[in-house]
Amino acid sequence: MDQKILPTERGCSVPLIPNYDTIERPVDERIEKRLIRKLDFRLIPWLAILYLLLSLDRNNIGNARLGTLEKDLNLVGNDYYIALMIFFAGYVLFHIPSNLMVKRMRPSYWISSTMIMWGICSLCQSITQNAMGLIICRFFLGVFETGVGPSTPLFLSFWYQRDELATRVAVYFGSSTVAGAFAGAIAYGVLGSLNGVWGIAGWRWLFIVEAIPTIVFGILSFWALPDTPQTDNGWLTPQEKKVAIQRAKQSGNTDEKPFDKDQFFAALVDYKIWLAVVIYIGLNVALASFAIFLPTIIRDMGFSSLNAQLLSIPPYVAAACLVFVVSWNSDRTLERAYHVVAVCLLGILGYVFLMASPNVAIRYTGAILIACGVYPIIPLTLSWVSNNQLGHTKRGVAIAMTSMIAQCFSMLGTQIYRQEDAPLYLFGHSVCVVFLIFAACSALLLRYLLHKENMHRDLKYGVPQNKDMSGLDIQGVYDKHPQFRYAL
C-alpha cells in the first residue's frame, strides 16, 4: 500500500500510514505471551530487589539517627541536615549522564558497576569518624545510585509496551515501600541486639548489614540482567528475540544511535516534560522528608526509639499494596493524570490528619495515608513521561530531567522538619501539602493540554487504527508525529 506524505506542525514531511495491517507484526501471540512471562520473571523481581537495596542504603541514615550516630560523630548544628542534603546534590548532577550511559554502554554493565560502587560508599559510612566523612560518603552514594534509580525506567522501556510499563515500574519502585518496612524491622533488630558487639556501635552495624547485600547483588547483576532485545545473550529463543525486537519497534524504539543531539535539545524545550517535572517536584518534597523523618515523627508521638522503628512498618505495607493496585488500573486504562490527582488528595488528607489533632491514633492514620498518597506517584509519573516520548535519547533525557530537577527539591524536603517544630511539625507538613497541591494541578493541566493535542491530530489526520509505530520515521518530529497519540 502506498503511504501518504503529510506535513507536521514543524514543516517536516513524514509518512502517514492509514492502514497498520501493512506493518510486520508478531505472528504468534503465544510467543509474545511467553516472552512477557520471561521478562516478568527475569527482569522485574531482580530489579525490584536492586531498588529495595537502593532505598535501604539511601534512607537508613534516618534509622541510624535513632541510635548514637549524632553523638559518636559529634554532629552539631546543621551537620546532620547537610549530610541528608548532600546526597541529592550528587544524585542530581549525574542523572542525565547516567541515563545516556544506559544506551551507550551495556545496561547490565552500567547498572552492576554503579551498584557495587554505591554499596562501597554505603559501607564506608560505617567507618566514618566525623561529619565531613559522613558528608563525603553521602555525596558519592548519591552519584552512584543514579545508575539504578533513574536509569531503570528507561531500561524497562526497551522491553515493554506503553500499556505494560506502569505496572512493571510500580513493582520496581514499589519495592521502596517494602524497603521502608524492612528498614524498620532491620533497624529494630540491629540497634537492639548488635549495639556494642565487638566494640562497634549499633548504627555502624546497620550500615554494614545493609551495604554487604548491595555489593553482592551488584556483582551478580553482571550475569543476571539482560541488555536490549537486539543484544540478548541467549536467554531468548530466536522466535522470542524476533518478537522482542518487533515489540520495541512498535513502541517507537526505532533509532539506533546511542546519542542524538537533536533529540537531546528537543527534550529540553518540551513543555510536557516541564509539567511532569512540577508533578515530580511535588512528590519529591513529600517523599524525601517522609522517608527520612518518619521514624522521628512517630517517636515524637510518644513512642520509644525502638518502638518507633517497628511502627514505621505498617505505613509502607499499606503503600506497597496501593502502589500495585493504582498502577495496574492506570495501565489497564492508560490513564495517568486522574490517578496522580487521586493519590495526591490522599496524601494531602494524611497531612491534614497529622496537623489537625494531637491524638496519636489520628496522627498515625495520617502517616499511613501519606505513604499511600505519595509512593504511587513515582511509577505513575515516570511511566507517563516515558509513554509520551519517542526516541531513546529524548526518552532518556526526559526521564532524567524529570527526576533530576525534582531531586533538587528533595534537598528542601530534608530541611523542613526542624527539631524546634516537634512534635506536630506544622511547618514541614504545610510545605508538603502545598507541593502536593502543585502536583495535582499540574497533572490536570498536562492532561488537558495532551487531550487537546490528541483531538487536534484526530481531526487533522484521522484516528490511528492501532498503536503500532514500527513503520514510522520519527526523525526530526519524535512524538509530534501525526500518528502518535499521547497517554493521558
Side-chain angles (χ1 to χ4, degrees), residues 215-288:
I215 297 172
V216 172
F217 273 87
I219 295 171
L220 295 176
S221 294
F222 279 108
W223 296 277
L225 287 177
D227 291 306
T228 64
Q230 293 81 2
T231 59
D232 84 278
N233 54 5
W235 67 287
L236 297 178
T237 66
Q239 295 89 348
E240 290 167 349
K241 180 175 180 178
K242 180 180 178 181
V243 170
I245 293 172
Q246 182 62 22
R247 278 165 49 86
K249 292 178 179 179
Q250 289 171 357
S251 294
N253 293 317
T254 56
D255 50 334
E256 300 296 334
K257 293 190 292 185
F259 177 77
D260 187 309
K261 181 178 65 175
D262 293 335
Q263 290 186 38
F264 179 86
F265 287 109
L268 297 181
V269 297
D270 191 335
Y271 76 88
K272 301 185 301 298
I273 299 172
W274 287 102
L275 281 173
V277 166
V278 178
I279 298 171
Y280 219 57
I281 285 172
L283 157 72
N284 273 278
V285 172
L287 179 65

Side-chain angles (χ1 to χ4, degrees), residues 158-413:
F158 299 161
W159 291 94
Y160 287 102
Q161 302 282 285
R162 299 170 77 201
D163 57 355
E164 299 166 349
L165 199 56
T167 304
R168 275 75 182 184
V169 174
V171 175
Y172 168 67
F173 279 113
S175 64
S176 65
T177 63
V178 179
F182 280 176
I186 294 170
Y188 181 86
V190 171
L191 296 178
S193 60
L194 291 182
N195 189 35
V197 173
W198 294 348
I200 300 174
W203 65 268
R204 296 185 188 274
W205 277 115
L206 186 62
F207 287 131
I208 294 169
V209 166
E210 293 183 351
I212 290 176
T214 298
I215 297 172
V216 172
F217 273 87
I219 295 171
L220 295 176
S221 294
F222 279 108
W223 296 277
L225 287 177
D227 291 306
T228 64
Q230 293 81 2
T231 59
D232 84 278
N233 54 5
W235 67 287
L236 297 178
T237 66
Q239 295 89 348
E240 290 167 349
K241 180 175 180 178
K242 180 180 178 181
V243 170
I245 293 172
Q246 182 62 22
R247 278 165 49 86
K249 292 178 179 179
Q250 289 171 357
S251 294
N253 293 317
T254 56
D255 50 334
E256 300 296 334
K257 293 190 292 185
F259 177 77
D260 187 309
K261 181 178 65 175
D262 293 335
Q263 290 186 38
F264 179 86
F265 287 109
L268 297 181
V269 297
D270 191 335
Y271 76 88
K272 301 185 301 298
I273 299 172
W274 287 102
L275 281 173
V277 166
V278 178
I279 298 171
Y280 219 57
I281 285 172
L283 157 72
N284 273 278
V285 172
L287 179 65
S289 58
F290 183 84
I292 293 173
F293 289 104
L294 178 62
T296 301
I297 292 170
I298 294 176
R299 182 196 64 186
D300 290 344
M301 292 180 187
F303 299 99
S304 69
S305 293
L306 281 178
N307 285 335
Q309 304 282 14
L310 283 180
L311 288 170
S312 66
I313 297 174
Y316 289 108
V317 173
C321 297
L322 196 64
V323 164
F324 302 140
V325 172
V326 169
S327 298
W328 169 80
N329 194 61
S330 178
D331 264 353
R332 184 181 65 84
T333 60
L334 201 57
E335 165 61 59
R336 310 298 189 206
Y338 291 150
H339 290 79
V340 170
V341 172
V343 293
C344 281
L345 293 176
L346 193 62
I348 291 169
L349 180 62
Y351 283 111
V352 170
F353 277 23
L354 281 177
M355 292 187 290
S357 172
N359 182 276
V360 172
I362 293 176
R363 294 174 66 202
Y364 188 70
T365 301
I368 295 175
L369 291 177
I370 292 168
C372 292
V374 168
Y375 279 95
I377 304 175
I378 305 173
L380 290 173
T381 305
L382 293 183
S383 298
W384 199 6
V385 172
S386 180
N387 289 160
N388 289 336
Q389 310 302 322
L390 287 183
H392 290 138
T393 300
K394 190 165 188 279
R395 184 181 295 121
V397 173
I399 293 172
M401 277 178 58
T402 303
S403 184
M404 178 184 73
I405 298 171
Q407 293 293 347
C408 294
F409 287 81
S410 294
M411 300 182 197
L412 171 63

